[in-house]
Amino acid sequence: CHVVATEAMSEAIGTMIADDGGSHMIETVGGCMLNAEMNAAGDGIQITDENGTIANVTIADVDQSNGVIHVTDAVFTPAAAQDAAAAAPADDAMAADTMAADAGAVPVVGGAEMPATNDIVTNAMNSADHTTLVAAVQAAGLVETLQGEGPFTVFAPVNDAFAALPAGTVDTLLLPENKDMLTKVLTAHVVAGNWTAEMFREEANSEGMVNLDTVSGDALTVQVQPSGSLSVFDESGNVYNVPIGDVMQSNGVIHVLDGVLLPK
C-alpha cells in the first residue's frame, strides 16, 4: 500500500491533484486506494489511506536508480487490516485503541477504557499515552476546572507530542514560576462545548474549516478532511492530526492529538 508502479515526482503529483480538482486518487501495487491532496498551507502533499489515516510528505523527491521515494510521517493500511485488527488480540495500547473504533465499544486510549460516565481528568489519568499531559494539568492547577460541569472539548496531546518539543521545553513549563505560561498552553487545547466530529462536519465552511476560540483566548482551526478525519491548526501555523476522536466524557469530549498546540 506504499508502492505505486510509476516514478511520480512531487511536481507531477501536484499537477494531477490540480487537474482532478484538488484531490487525486492513486492505486497502489497492493490494490489499496490512496487520496492525494495539497496540505492546507498549499506547500506540500498529504495522503489519506482507506482508513482515513492522513500522512504528510515530509521529504519529497528522493530520486533512486529505480524510482523515487517520498518520506511520509504515517503508515498506510488497507481497509481490511482495520477489520482484522478488531478480530485479533491487542498486542499493545495502539492495537487496543484501533479495536475501540468498533461501533458500540467503549473507547480505548493509551490501553485503558474511557467510560463516558467518567470526567475528562479521570479518564486521562488512566491513559498510558497521556501521563505528561496529566502531570502538566496537575502542575497548572487545572484538575478541578477540567473536572467541572463543562462541557469542554479537549484536544489531548499524547506523550510523544510533548517529547517532540525542543529539548527542555516541558521541564521549563513545569517549573512553578512558569505556571501562567503552562496554563496558557494547556487551555489553548480546550474549547467550550461538546464539539464532536459530526458537529465539526456540520459547521465546516466550504474548505472544511471551523474556527474556534479556546479557553485561553487563543484561536485554533479544525479542518474536516474528505475522509472525515480531523486536523487541527494552532496560531503558530502548526497542523496536527486527530488519530482518535469523539472520546465522550461525562463533562465533554476528548480528541486525541499527535502534536502540542502553541499559542503565539
Side-chain angles (χ1 to χ4, degrees):
C1 284
H2 294 75
V3 182
V4 179
T6 187
E7 187 177 51
M9 307 298 282
S10 60
E11 183 176 357
I13 297 172
T15 299
M16 288 183 277
I17 291 171
D19 289 346
D20 287 355
S23 179
H24 178 70
M25 297 303 297
I26 301 170
E27 184 174 3
T28 67
V29 171
C32 307
M33 297 301 297
L34 304 177
N35 183 44
E37 301 171 291
M38 301 305 294
N39 62 22
D43 58 2
I45 294 168
Q46 65 181 29
I47 309 291
T48 305
D49 73 6
E50 293 176 341
N51 294 311
T53 298
I54 300 171
N56 296 295
V57 175
T58 56
I59 305 174
D61 299 340
V62 185
D63 206 7
Q64 314 291 293
S65 64
N66 62 340
V68 59
I69 291 174
H70 302 290
V71 180
T72 65
D73 60 3
V75 177
F76 305 134
T77 56
Q82 192 174 55
D83 296 336
D91 292 330
D92 52 28
M94 184 174 293
D97 294 346
T98 301
M99 292 174 66
D102 291 348
V106 176
V108 174
V109 177
E113 290 189 346
M114 300 282 121
T117 52
N118 287 347
D119 61 68
I120 290 167
V121 175
T122 300
N123 273 335
M125 290 178 69
N126 291 328
S127 169
D129 289 340
H130 290 89
T131 55
T132 304
L133 176 62
V134 169
V137 167
Q138 292 171 332
L142 293 174
V143 171
E144 185 175 350
T145 299
L146 292 177
Q147 287 184 318
E149 183 177 352
F152 304 108
T153 298
V154 177
F155 296 94
V158 294
N159 292 341
D160 285 347
F162 285 102
L165 294 173
T169 299
V170 174
D171 290 340
T172 299
L173 286 172
L174 292 176
L175 293 173
E177 59 265 32
N178 293 326
K179 181 177 178 180
D180 288 346
M181 184 186 305
L182 176 62
T183 299
K184 182 175 177 64
V185 170
L186 292 176
T187 53
H189 293 75
V190 182
V191 177
N194 265 320
W195 283 89
T196 62
E198 181 179 2
M199 188 171 176
F200 283 121
R201 288 192 289 269
E202 291 174 351
E203 297 296 325
N205 61 23
S206 60
E207 296 180 342
M209 301 286 196
V210 180
N211 297 315
L212 299 171
D213 292 323
T214 66
V215 171
S216 69
D218 300 286
L220 63 78
T221 299
V222 174
Q223 183 178 30
V224 182
Q225 302 294 338
S227 63
S229 60
L230 305 178
S231 298
V232 184
F233 297 77
D234 65 18
E235 288 188 333
S236 300
N238 302 306
V239 57
Y240 301 109
N241 298 314
V242 174
I244 306 173
D246 287 351
V247 185
M248 302 308 297
Q249 317 289 292
S250 64
N251 62 340
V253 57
I254 288 175
H255 300 289
V256 177
L257 197 63
D258 65 2
V260 178
L261 304 173
L262 298 174
K264 284 186 177 179

